[in-house]
Amino acid sequence: MARWDPNARERLERAALELFVQQGYDRTTVAEIAERAGLAKSTFFRHFADKREVLSGGDALVRLLTDAVAATPPGAGPRQAVEAALAAAGERAFTAERHGAVRERQQVVAANPELTERELLKREALATALTAALRERGTPDPAAGLTAELALLALRTALATWTARPGQDFTALALAELTALCEAATAL
């Protein structure tokens, strides 16, 4: 591909994942990623701070979930708001077309302690952002934090099931997980 072709960020993400799967995260260099994407190494650093960041997707998932919460009709409660967020994740981030790439990303992260640690920090940031989005809708504490944590637990559990079994609908899995978690919480 020519260096001026569009979608440099997506090409870099795709190239990085391919290389991480083929030769391992530690053995892949930024220069190799840029070369595979048909771009200059400097282009990589215009989009990402380092090679760890190329797997993170930036704040796309945070924005997707918090925007869905904010767009929920005013009369909807916190559960309906996080249901909308989980549905948005299923419609945009965890689609059938992206299944293979998401599964490969999960495998790369799981195989590398540095990436696993970074993933845990990202989860904490996501919980904070989702809690803030619920508070902005008027959900008081501790309900905002608890609802956000239940939604993220449902997301993670559904993601593990979805990546292990192709062909399933992520949204259906996530909403079923959320229902089970809410029922378990009320049974306490």
Side-chain angles (χ1 to χ4, degrees):
M1 287 187 174
R3 293 185 188 279
W4 57 84
D5 281 346
N7 304 319
R9 184 179 183 92
E10 293 84 11
R11 288 168 45 204
L12 289 163
E13 289 171 343
R14 190 173 44 251
L17 186 56
E18 289 170 2
L19 288 166
F20 294 160
V21 168
Q22 289 172 3
Q23 59 193 39
Y25 172 81
D26 289 330
R27 292 186 305 269
T28 300
T29 67
V30 168
E32 290 171 319
I33 295 167
E35 182 179 331
R36 171 76 61 102
L39 298 165
K41 185 176 171 182
S42 60
T43 303
F44 180 95
F45 289 111
R46 278 197 293 274
H47 292 280
F48 305 102
D50 56 34
K51 73 176 187 177
R52 292 176 304 172
E53 192 63 29
V54 75
L55 283 177
S56 77
D59 292 330
L61 186 59
V62 170
R63 281 191 310 276
L64 179 64
L65 296 178
T66 56
D67 287 353
V69 166
T72 306
R79 180 170 174 180
Q80 289 78 26
V82 295
E83 286 174 346
L86 293 171
E91 292 167 8
R92 296 225 208 109
F94 306 119
T95 62
E97 298 78 28
R98 292 184 35 89
H99 184 271
V102 171
R103 186 184 70 247
E104 287 176 343
R105 181 196 176 279
Q106 296 293 89
Q107 291 169 345
V108 169
V109 168
N112 189 295
E114 177 185 351
L115 295 175
T116 302
E117 181 180 353
R118 189 175 184 99
E119 192 78 0
L120 292 172
L121 293 172
K122 284 180 52 186
R123 286 181 189 171
E124 186 61 32
L126 184 54
T128 299
L130 197 52
T131 299
L134 288 165
R135 282 186 193 128
E136 287 177 23
R137 290 185 44 77
T139 304
D141 283 323
L146 179 60
T147 304
E149 290 293 341
L150 287 172
L152 293 177
L153 181 56
L155 186 143
R156 288 193 314 267
T157 306
L159 185 58
T161 302
W162 182 76
T163 55
R165 294 188 226 143
Q168 295 192 344
D169 178 61
F170 176 84
T171 300
L173 290 171
L175 294 178
E177 278 297 325
L178 182 63
T179 297
L181 289 168
C182 288
E183 289 172 0
T186 58
L188 294 176

